[in-house]
Amino acid sequence: MVGEPYQSFGLATPPAPNVISAGDGIALLKQRKAKKGALLAYGNGRSYGDSCQNEAGTIVDMRPLARIRAFNAETGVIEAESGALLSDIIAHAAPFGFFPAVVPGTQFVTLGGAIANDVHGKNHHRRGTFGCHVESLSLLKSDGQTYHCSATDNARLFRATIGGMGLTGLILSVSIRLMRVPSLDIVEKATPFRNLGEFFELAEAADLANEYAVAWIDQLAGGHRSGRGLLFTGNHAEHGSHAASRAGGTLSVPFQPPFNVLNRPFLTVFNAAYRWKKRRSTAPRHVGYQGFFFPLDGVGNWNRLYGPNGLFQHQSVVPENVAGQVVPELLAAAKRAGQGSFLTVLKRFGKIRSPALLSFPRPGFTLTLDFPNRGQATLALLKELDRITVEAGGAVNPYKDARMGADIFAASFPEWQRLEAIRDAAFMSSFWARTAKQLEEQGDVAEAAEIDKIRIIRR
């Protein structure tokens, strides 16, 4: 579990007030007793914001539905219930030489959550999003019916459910296509760069030559060191382990400290030490998949280190042709605000389209920043980052958001109404109520005002 029961991973939003089991949620839907806006599926609480919360309704804990039903060791297609964790999928398929084609920064996400958020990883340029590898899914809706959905069967519902933030119904089971790998180990190479200009010169070639590529930025570095960082590239080792290692580490944060431990002095020392350690050798080296893909999973409940107010994560994507100007501007805005980001990640999205109606990744560069919640000062900074992003023609990630305005959501996802049109009326999230429903109400008000104008003219 995360720091507090049924809370988002950012810990900046209140815990869910009402929770029912997966069995009770399924029974409500099958009996057609779910009321309007009553339900939302809850996976393992790894979303940073309120897309996994339903403050005015009830969340359905899907984790008990975690069985792996079938696995084809020839094709790599695995069928599992939606509450199964990615770590379970990895452990089951690894001995047969398969690994998920796309993994996010944690293995402790459920299959249903990975689909609902259409998660991406360090290889978007090669494999696209998680949704690109979903073969089919079964979806229970408030009409009491279970729908088999795929690219050819209930295709519109299939596309709406991928990246649909859990708003189309309860995902019961999923079939996904894994990729064959020579081993789980990774041959990693760390390439230091002195500034963002050097990174952008390296990025495309790194993507072309490697399965995985991601950059770490020393966000606090100033002056001539501004924008320095490390570009990590990786490929599955030809000779390595086929056994999944123990998920998670032995370290854990047992309680939430009364203050933010990840403060600016700590981050300054940490960034310097991290850069020194990783750049000592630029030669390729074998590393375990846990350390390469899921480094923070090694410390349980690490989000508690941000203190009682939690954290906000801001992830943006901007078009490739303006990234050289916009990414430095985003980092400069954070620096002006005196805010330090514990984890600052920059990577390049490719051109592979997701089957989803709404999906965050699109061609360009994506920057992720984590900030301790300092109240209005942090909210003001996040608003400024939003402004810079959308004015550059970019988008802000709703799946990791806890506070963006409806206008920013609309600018990031101008086709949001396509999801609203197919949303199951019995399902709602705090995020959707805060953004899409506000946009809909504003539209109703504008339409009513226009009608009144016409009436006055006619009089």
Side-chain angles (χ1 to χ4, degrees):
M1 273 301 299
V2 292
E4 294 292 334
Y6 303 103
Q7 193 165 8
S8 72
F9 198 72
L11 303 178
T13 56
N18 303 303
V19 183
I20 60 175
S21 68
D24 287 343
I26 290 170
L28 272 177
L29 292 170
K30 286 188 173 180
Q31 295 166 16
R32 303 186 184 183
K33 292 183 179 180
K35 297 179 181 178
K36 184 178 180 180
L39 302 176
L40 182 74
Y42 182 93
N44 201 33
R46 293 286 159 155
S47 295
Y48 282 82
D50 55 0
S51 65
C52 64
Q53 297 293 326
N54 188 9
E55 186 178 0
T58 297
I59 62 171
V60 182
D61 186 352
M62 300 299 291
R63 286 170 295 184
L65 294 182
R67 290 180 304 159
I68 294 176
R69 292 179 170 179
F71 177 63
N72 187 321
E74 296 296 323
T75 64
V77 173
I78 190 167
E79 181 187 357
E81 292 176 333
S82 64
L85 295 178
L86 202 56
S87 57
D88 300 329
I89 302 300
I90 293 171
H92 192 91
F96 302 95
F98 285 94
F99 190 77
V102 174
V103 294
T106 175
Q107 63 196 308
F108 299 130
V109 296
T110 63
L111 277 182
I115 291 172
N117 295 285
D118 198 18
V119 297
H120 58 271
K122 297 176 174 68
N123 60 346
H124 185 271
H125 59 285
R126 290 272 181 100
R127 311 291 171 179
T129 65
F130 195 87
C132 294
H133 307 276
V134 177
E135 294 279 290
S136 64
L137 58 90
S138 62
L139 187 74
L140 177 60
K141 294 178 62 63
S142 60
D143 62 4
Q145 301 298 310
T146 299
Y147 294 82
H148 178 268
C149 304
S150 69
T152 56
D153 195 4
N154 294 308
R156 185 164 174 257
L157 192 54
F158 179 70
R159 295 181 62 223
T161 302
I162 297 173
M165 295 184 253
L167 297 170
T168 60
L170 285 187
I171 302 173
L172 300 181
S173 64
V174 182
S175 288
I176 61 169
R177 184 176 61 260
L178 308 180
M179 72 174 178
R180 189 177 292 278
V181 294
S183 76
L184 269 66
D185 292 345
I186 301 295
V187 178
E188 176 193 79
K189 182 179 181 182
T191 303
F193 52 87
R194 292 173 296 180
N195 51 55
L196 289 172
E198 281 193 4
F199 164 76
F200 288 119
E201 289 176 1
L202 294 169
E204 184 173 3
D207 283 357
L208 289 173
N210 299 281
E211 176 71 31
Y212 305 105
V214 64
W216 167 82
I217 306 292
D218 184 355
Q219 184 253 340
L220 294 178
H224 70 277
R225 299 174 301 171
S226 182
R228 71 179 182 180
L230 297 166
L231 173 61
F232 295 99
T233 54
N235 297 282
H236 286 274
E238 289 298 325
H239 304 286
S241 173
H242 283 87
S245 53
R246 179 179 178 273
T250 56
L251 297 176
S252 183
V253 181
F255 62 89
Q256 190 172 69
F259 55 89
N260 169 34
V261 175
L262 304 177
N263 51 38
R264 192 178 183 90
F266 170 86
L267 293 180
T268 301
V269 174
F270 172 84
N271 284 353
Y274 183 80
R275 186 171 182 271
W276 175 82
K277 178 183 177 182
K278 292 292 186 179
R279 68 168 298 175
R280 281 187 301 170
S281 173
T282 57
R285 63 191 187 106
H286 275 64
V287 298
Y289 75 94
Q290 298 271 11
F292 184 80
F293 294 110
F294 318 119
L296 292 177
D297 283 351
V299 181
N301 297 312
W302 63 265
N303 53 335
R304 289 175 173 173
L305 295 174
Y306 281 89
N309 296 322
L311 73 145
F312 290 108
Q313 184 170 102
H314 189 277
Q315 184 173 21
S316 57
V317 57
V318 294
E320 193 162 342
N321 63 328
V322 298
Q325 296 77 47
V326 178
V327 172
E329 191 177 349
L330 291 166
L331 293 173
K335 198 172 297 182
R336 286 195 303 271
Q339 292 266 13
S341 168
F342 170 56
L343 187 65
T344 304
V345 174
L346 180 61
K347 57 189 174 186
R348 185 172 177 263
F349 283 149
K351 296 179 181 180
I352 300 173
R353 288 180 62 87
S354 168
L357 288 183
L358 299 186
S359 185
F360 170 69
R362 58 205 71 183
F365 285 89
T366 179
L367 177 70
T368 304
L369 299 154
D370 289 345
F371 299 112
N373 178 15
R374 296 178 181 170
Q376 288 303 314
T378 305
L379 293 174
L381 167 60
L382 295 169
K383 192 172 182 179
E384 174 66 2
L385 298 178
D386 290 346
R387 182 195 65 78
I388 294 169
T389 299
V390 299
E391 287 185 1
V396 180
N397 192 348
Y399 308 109
K400 297 183 177 182
D401 176 73
R403 43 86 248 161
M404 80 164 73
D407 57 334
I408 298 300
F409 176 60
S412 300
F413 293 84
E415 296 185 330
W416 62 271
Q417 289 168 306
R418 297 177 68 192
L419 178 56
E420 174 61 20
I422 203 169
R423 178 179 63 85
D424 190 309
F427 287 77
M428 180 56 65
S429 70
S430 297
F431 173 86
W432 201 253
R434 175 166 53 82
T435 55
K437 297 310 291 181
Q438 277 199 26
L439 290 167
E440 195 172 56
E441 290 168 9
Q442 290 167 10
D444 291 342
V445 170
E447 186 177 352
E450 191 63 31
I451 291 171
D452 287 341
K453 274 186 191 177
I454 293 170
R455 285 173 178 163
I456 291 169
I457 291 169
R458 285 177 177 172
R459 286 176 188 163

